[in-house]
Amino acid sequence: QVQLVESGGGLVQAGGSLRLSCAAAGRTFGLYAMGWFRQAPGKEREFVAGISRSGSRTYYADSIQGRFTISRDNFRNTVYLQMNSLKREDTAVYYCTAGRGGTSGTEYDYWGQGTQVTVSS
């Protein structure tokens, strides 16, 4: 079992930056690949970024490539999502997740409660 708690969301102007954090409770954090997904109002949940168990491999959705960076600290049981050059279309609830890894939500077993990111023009 892994409990995930996201933080760091908020309101930011277009072009600005935010860093999301996801703290994991439990001693098995390093056994899981981690990911970030998001869901905007009226839209389906979509993959944003993923990172392997060791952190050696990262992968991103095309829509955020070059603007967002995922990282993890296995000593602090935390995964991060640094978001730069934010756009209005990045507005969504962002979810942290743990599992086998990949770009499909079905490949992840544990989900946080989500944190709201709102980008204003």
Side-chain angles (χ1 to χ4, degrees):
Q1 280 278 347
V2 178
Q3 291 80 44
L4 304 172
V5 179
E6 302 96 336
S7 61
L11 175 64
V12 63
Q13 287 190 329
S17 298
L18 280 176
R19 188 176 82 154
L20 304 183
S21 299
C22 173
R27 294 177 290 178
T28 59
F29 179 74
L31 298 180
Y32 295 96
M34 301 296 294
W36 287 95
F37 285 71
R38 68 186 182 186
Q39 187 166 20
K43 295 187 177 182
E44 293 187 353
R45 183 181 61 194
E46 64 174 354
F47 169 78
V48 174
I51 188 166
S52 62
R53 290 178 295 178
S54 68
S56 61
R57 189 171 79 93
T58 60
Y59 41 100
Y60 301 92
D62 289 343
S63 60
I64 57 87
Q65 185 78 38
R67 298 189 296 122
F68 292 8
T69 302
I70 188 171
S71 61
R72 67 189 295 165
D73 184 336
N74 284 354
F75 290 103
R76 292 184 170 84
N77 285 7
T78 303
V79 63
Y80 305 97
L81 185 68
Q82 177 67 43
M83 305 186 295
N84 299 329
S85 302
L86 283 162
K87 304 176 182 180
R88 287 192 63 185
E89 51 263 43
D90 295 319
T91 295
V93 177
Y94 284 72
Y95 297 92
C96 171
T97 185
R100 299 183 297 282
T103 60
S104 170
T106 60
E107 296 173 289
Y108 294 88
D109 302 306
Y110 304 102
W111 295 79
Q113 82 289 350
T115 186
Q116 176 70 47
V117 171
T118 303
V119 184
S120 64
S121 58

